[in-house]
Amino acid sequence: MKQILPFILIAVLVGGAMFFLNDDYEEAAFDPDWTDERSIAGWDMTLFLNNGSGKDQEIGFKLEYAGLAEEPNIEALEVFVVTEHGTFFYQDLDIEEFNKEIIYSVPCDFCSEAEGSYSYTEIILNWRQTGYTRQEYFDMNLYVEGSY
C-alpha cells in the first residue's frame, strides 16, 4: 500500500491542477454587422461586413460545406468576390484538412466610397474535389451603410 500511495497522490495533484487551471475556451461567435446569404450546390455562402470606424471596416465571407458527403475531400479552393467598388480573393491550393467551414475577411478599402448604396456582387467559387475541378457562382447584394 505504501508503494501505491505516492501514485495516488500524484494523480490527485495532476487532476486537481487540470481541473483548476482549465481554460474555458469559447470560440468567438460569428456576428457581423451586415450579411447576405445564399446556398448553391452543397455550399452555404455568407457575404458580410463588419463596420468599424474609419479603416477598421472589414468585408468578408463565410463558406460552409453543406453537401451530402461526410468527408468532402476538398483538395483546393478559390473564392473571388467582385463588387462594383472593389474586389478580393481567397486561395488555398493545397488543403491539408478541410473542416467544412472557412471565414475570411479583408479590410474594406472601398466602404467609405460606397456608403449608403447597394452594390451588385458576384462570388465565384472554384474547388477541386476528388480530382475534379468544379465551379459555382453566387449573385449577391452588398449594402454598405453609413458610418457607425
Side-chain angles (χ1 to χ4, degrees), residues 75-113:
E75 301 161 2
L77 188 73
E78 293 178 322
V79 180
F80 298 92
V81 179
V82 181
T83 73
E84 295 174 38
H85 303 286
T87 64
F88 69 94
F89 72 96
Y90 170 86
Q91 186 178 55
D92 189 350
L93 299 178
D94 189 23
I95 296 176
E96 294 293 325
E97 186 175 324
F98 183 65
N99 65 358
K100 298 185 180 183
E101 179 180 271
I102 294 173
I103 299 175
Y104 181 73
S105 64
V106 296
C108 187
D109 298 332
F110 60 85
C111 284
S112 60
E113 300 166 13

Side-chain angles (χ1 to χ4, degrees), residues 28-118:
F30 179 71
D31 188 26
D33 297 324
W34 178 89
T35 63
D36 189 11
E37 301 173 3
R38 300 284 189 275
S39 295
I40 295 177
W43 293 97
D44 295 333
M45 174 67 74
T46 303
L47 180 66
F48 67 87
L49 281 174
N50 281 322
N51 290 307
S53 60
K55 295 185 178 198
D56 291 338
Q57 294 176 325
E58 290 184 332
I59 183 171
F61 65 86
K62 177 181 178 182
L63 179 66
E64 295 178 275
Y65 180 78
L68 300 175
E70 280 295 317
E71 294 294 323
N73 197 18
I74 304 295
E75 301 161 2
L77 188 73
E78 293 178 322
V79 180
F80 298 92
V81 179
V82 181
T83 73
E84 295 174 38
H85 303 286
T87 64
F88 69 94
F89 72 96
Y90 170 86
Q91 186 178 55
D92 189 350
L93 299 178
D94 189 23
I95 296 176
E96 294 293 325
E97 186 175 324
F98 183 65
N99 65 358
K100 298 185 180 183
E101 179 180 271
I102 294 173
I103 299 175
Y104 181 73
S105 64
V106 296
C108 187
D109 298 332
F110 60 85
C111 284
S112 60
E113 300 166 13
E115 283 183 1
S117 66
Y118 278 95

Side-chain angles (χ1 to χ4, degrees), residues 1-8:
M1 184 71 180
K2 287 183 178 181
Q3 295 143 350
I4 296 175
L5 190 59
F7 292 112
I8 293 173

